[in-house]
Amino acid sequence: MTVYVENNADAATTLRTALGAEAVHVPGVDAAREYLAEHTDEDVVVLGSHVDQWLGFELASWLRVARPSAGVVLVRRRIDSSLLGEALRAGIREVVDERDLAAVAQSVKRVADLGRDVRAATGKDVFTENRQRGRIVTVFSAKGGCGKTTIATNLATLLTVEAQAKVCLVDLDLAFGDTGIALQLLPAHTIEDAAAIGTGLDSAALLALLTPHPSGLQVLVAPLRPDSKDSVKPETVSHILDLLVREFDYVVVDTPPSFDETVLRSIDHADLLMLVATLEVPAIKNLKLAIETLDLLGYPRNRWKIILNRADAKVGLSLADVEKALKSPASAYIPSSRDVPSSVNHGVPIVTDQPKHPVSESIRTFMRTYITATPAPAPSDAPAAEPARRGRLFRRKG
Ligand SMILES: Nc1ncnc2c1ncn2[C@@H]1O[C@H](COP(=O)(O)OP(=O)(O)OP(=O)(O)O)[C@@H](O)[C@H]1O
Ligand SMILES: [Mg+2]
């Protein structure tokens, strides 16, 4: 597959005619890095003529180390020998005149063929090799009662039982967290104990505070009393997530229905953010506001997915209306069923109680499509490891 980077709309349209409709457009070098980090099957990156030369060279140098099978084609308005020399040193494979669209297409084909040969010879990329870090999946909705806890507990169980992964569920609904009840746990410790240890908290201490579920899932449960909420500081949440992501394949985070600072930390650390809503006007309005806020904060759009829960409920809003209002399609539609509250009351997640149930199937499909089918990011690529991005969510406060 080919990705082309171009911030000028007309130039992007021209490139698209040379590269075909399947090529993926990203508007800038930062967006390209993010896209490439999440899509490991891209062989060619085309840098359009409006991309800053030095930023383009930096991207090429990074890619040469991170993904040797991928090649960069540089499109320029003017080409001279000094540009060619510098491009070569940066690891760019070909430099092409922007007016010669046939040459652009041929270069892309040559670089793609070479990429396939490199892949075949080495068998893998650095991206798929350096998997030391797990992934954080945060489940959020700006309105209460949309199904966050239901989805978080069932997804975490499914990842443990079916994907055979090492999974930790973190309950960040610090005042009213109920994952412990939903999974019928008798916790000896809660996140409050982790907060009490403070900065001295290390992996061994944190692992000792988790409550095991019979499925193999580990849970960091919420404080047992709502007034303990404030004892868990946002920095502690960041520290806990940083520790857990080194120990587990997946860390699933359940959240309260608010954009408070601890929630922002979990969103900021997330490799995947599941935005949950039901087909009700307040839920959709709040989700729309949440998306606008994430956009304002510069949160990458490819990092969140919309989940419509109780998506078949006859409440007057159609799926089409909702997706139109959100200007984005949903990535999962979970049906409404009274078996869901019944499973909660029994303390057994529906995915284990009734694996073939339509609710279980829809969570499974989401998991397979968006979580287990994509390789984990390399350590250097983790959201939490990037101070620039981590700072982004908090800058609005400063
Ligand atoms: N697909 C569904 N079909 C039927 N009932 C559901 C479904 N999903 C969730 N529910 C029910 O809706 C209620 C709220 O669900 P849940 O506790 O998961 O929401 P939440 O977003 O975590 O709420 P809160 O914001 O209070 O934490 C529960 O009684 C749950 O059993
Ligand atoms: Mg909840």
Side-chain angles (χ1 to χ4, degrees):
M1 285 283 283
T2 302
V3 182
Y4 60 107
V5 190
E6 178 59 75
N7 49 350
N8 177 286
D10 292 339
T13 309
T14 310
L15 269 181
R16 188 182 150 93
T17 43
L19 302 174
E22 272 178 25
V24 175
H25 174 231
V26 287
V29 171
D30 281 348
R33 262 182 216 257
E34 270 156 18
Y35 184 85
L36 289 163
E38 292 195 353
H39 297 82
T40 54
D41 55 352
E42 308 293 347
D43 285 323
V44 188
V45 179
V46 177
L47 297 172
S49 56
H50 294 79
V51 173
D52 177 86
Q53 180 174 320
W54 299 107
L55 288 179
F57 286 0
E58 261 182 32
L59 181 77
S61 304
W62 169 74
L63 212 53
R64 188 159 58 165
V65 177
R67 195 180 308 176
S69 62
V72 179
V73 173
L74 180 67
V75 178
R76 291 288 97 163
R77 193 163 299 167
R78 212 171 289 134
I79 301 173
D80 57 33
S81 55
S82 93
L83 171 71
L84 284 174
E86 275 154 357
L88 203 67
R89 278 193 289 282
I92 285 171
R93 297 249 168 88
E94 304 217 13
V95 183
V96 202
D97 188 317
E98 74 161 351
R99 284 154 299 192
D100 194 346
L101 291 182
V104 173
Q106 281 158 11
S107 285
V108 166
K109 182 169 180 322
R110 272 194 300 273
V111 172
D113 289 346
L114 184 66
R116 267 190 290 280
D117 290 348
V118 173
R119 262 179 206 263
T122 59
K124 42 186 130 41
D125 270 309
V126 175
F127 268 136
T128 47
E129 235 178 347
N130 273 355
R131 253 186 257 166
Q132 295 158 11
R133 174 190 179 277
R135 265 181 285 180
I136 298 179
V137 179
T138 296
V139 185
F140 176 76
S141 71
K143 185 180 171 301
C146 286
K148 295 178 296 296
T149 302
T150 304
I151 292 169
T153 46
N154 278 285
L155 175 67
T157 307
L158 210 52
L159 281 164
T160 309
V161 176
E162 282 192 22
Q164 309 258 300
K166 217 177 146 195
V167 186
C168 182
L169 174 65
V170 178
D171 194 341
L172 277 193
D173 189 349
L174 299 172
F176 301 107
D178 46 10
T179 55
I181 293 170
L183 293 169
Q184 253 184 356
L185 302 173
L186 291 172
H189 298 283
T190 74
I191 194 169
E192 199 182 350
D193 300 306
I197 301 176
T199 48
L201 184 73
D202 60 11
S203 288
L206 182 56
L207 293 177
L209 300 178
L210 304 180
T211 306
H213 181 257
S215 63
L217 171 68
Q218 297 281 343
V219 187
L220 184 58
V221 297
L224 301 177
R225 294 187 334 266
D227 57 353
S228 305
K229 174 182 181 297
D230 295 333
S231 65
V232 184
K233 303 278 176 256
E235 309 77 72
T236 313
V237 169
S238 287
H239 184 52
I240 287 172
L241 293 177
D242 280 340
L243 291 173
L244 289 176
V245 81
R246 285 188 232 147
E247 301 293 329
F248 290 87
D249 298 325
Y250 298 101
V251 179
V252 178
V253 185
D254 187 19
T255 60
S258 62
F259 253 134
D260 68 23
E261 233 188 296
T262 48
V263 173
L264 281 170
R265 296 277 171 146
S266 73
I267 291 178
D268 214 5
H269 279 63
D271 296 279
L272 180 68
L273 173 62
M274 296 173 70
L275 297 171
V276 185
T278 48
L279 297 183
E280 289 153 316
V281 172
I284 299 302
K285 188 203 85 192
N286 286 5
L287 174 54
K288 200 162 184 290
L289 279 174
I291 291 173
E292 284 166 11
T293 309
L294 291 171
D295 280 346
L296 273 176
L297 296 169
Y299 196 76
R301 275 197 157 229
N302 58 8
R303 200 157 279 169
W304 51 257
K305 304 279 173 222
I306 294 172
I307 317 297
L308 291 179
N309 188 24
R310 317 190 76 162
D312 54 346
K314 307 268 179 294
V315 288
L317 285 182
S318 75
L319 285 178
D321 290 340
V322 166
E323 291 180 333
K324 202 167 147 208
L326 297 173
K327 296 199 193 96
S328 180
S331 300
Y333 306 94
I334 301 175
S336 186
S337 166
R338 65 175 73 150
D339 297 330
V340 174
S342 146
S343 74
V344 175
N345 290 341
H346 291 107
V348 183
I350 191 162
V351 292
T352 40
D353 200 24
Q354 300 186 58
K356 298 278 174 221
H357 194 285
V359 168
S360 308
E361 292 285 13
S362 55
I363 297 173
R364 180 180 295 111
T365 303
F366 180 86
M367 175 188 84
R368 289 188 179 160
T369 312
Y370 297 103
I371 303 179
T372 52
T374 53
S380 58
D381 193 40
E386 278 184 45
R389 189 183 299 140
R390 190 194 292 187
R392 197 178 293 165
L393 286 182
F394 302 102
R395 270 211 285 276
R396 66 185 189 137
K397 295 192 176 270

